[in-house]
Amino acid sequence: MPTELLLSPHSATPMYAQIVEQVVAKVMTGEWKAGDALPSIRELAGNSQVSVITVKRAYLELERAGVIVTRQGKGSFVADTLDATQALATEEFQLQLKGLLDAARKLALSPREILDRVEQALSDPPHTAQPPTDPTERKPK
C-alpha cells in the first residue's frame, strides 16, 4: 500500500489532524480497503517527515473513530468497511448537524422554525431544495 500523505507544515491544521483527514479520505474513497495494513507508526513518521508522537496521536484518533484497528504485535489495519463507513458517516452527520444548529442560532431561529425547515427540506425532492429565505422576511410567531 502506498504510504504517501501530503502534509503541510504551513497549514493551520495540525499535522496529526492532516494525517487523520487523509487516512479517512483514503478509506472513504476505497483506496484503502478493510483489512489493509497501515504503515507502521515509525514508517509513516519517516516517510512524512513528522515525529513518531504525531503519527501515534493520529492513529489513536483514527482508532477511536473506528476507522482503524490495532492488533498488538501485528500493526494497524483498516477496520471492517461497514463499521468504519458507518462510524465516518455518523461523525460527518454530527458535524453537519452542529453546523446547521450553529447557523440557526445565528439567525435566531426557534426550535420550531428549525424543525419546520428540516421537515420542508425532507419533503422537497432531492436536489431541488429551495434556498433559505431571508431571515428579515420571517413571519412573526
Side-chain angles (χ1 to χ4, degrees):
M1 159 188 307
T3 60
E4 283 190 30
L5 298 179
L6 302 173
L7 306 177
S8 171
H10 306 294
S11 172
T13 304
M15 294 294 237
Y16 83 91
Q18 291 180 52
I19 294 169
V20 169
E21 289 171 359
Q22 290 183 43
V23 170
V24 166
K26 288 179 182 294
V27 170
M28 291 296 287
T29 62
E31 187 176 336
W32 290 4
K33 305 208 180 317
D36 283 351
L38 274 71
S40 72
I41 290 173
R42 290 188 188 284
E43 181 184 350
L44 186 58
N47 290 345
S48 303
Q49 298 180 347
V50 296
S51 77
V52 169
I53 295 168
T54 298
V55 177
K56 185 171 181 144
R57 181 172 180 190
Y59 276 28
L60 286 171
E61 293 288 327
L62 289 162
E63 194 163 5
R64 282 189 200 121
V67 177
I68 68 172
V69 293
T70 300
R71 297 186 186 110
Q72 189 66 32
K74 296 190 180 205
S76 296
F77 302 84
V78 176
D80 178 314
T81 305
L82 286 176
D83 292 343
T85 303
Q86 182 68 28
L88 293 171
T90 299
E91 186 175 334
E92 179 65 21
F93 176 80
Q94 288 301 118
L95 286 171
Q96 295 292 331
L97 181 59
K98 181 183 180 320
L100 172 90
L101 294 175
D102 287 346
R105 284 184 195 103
K106 287 178 185 173
L107 292 171
L109 296 178
S110 71
R112 180 74 267 167
E113 289 172 310
I114 296 168
L115 291 173
D116 288 345
R117 288 182 184 209
V118 169
E119 287 171 356
Q120 178 60 44
L122 287 170
S123 67
D124 286 344
H127 306 295
T128 60
Q130 299 297 316
T133 58
D134 182 339
T136 60
E137 296 176 12
R138 286 189 302 163
K139 296 176 186 146
K141 289 183 166 184

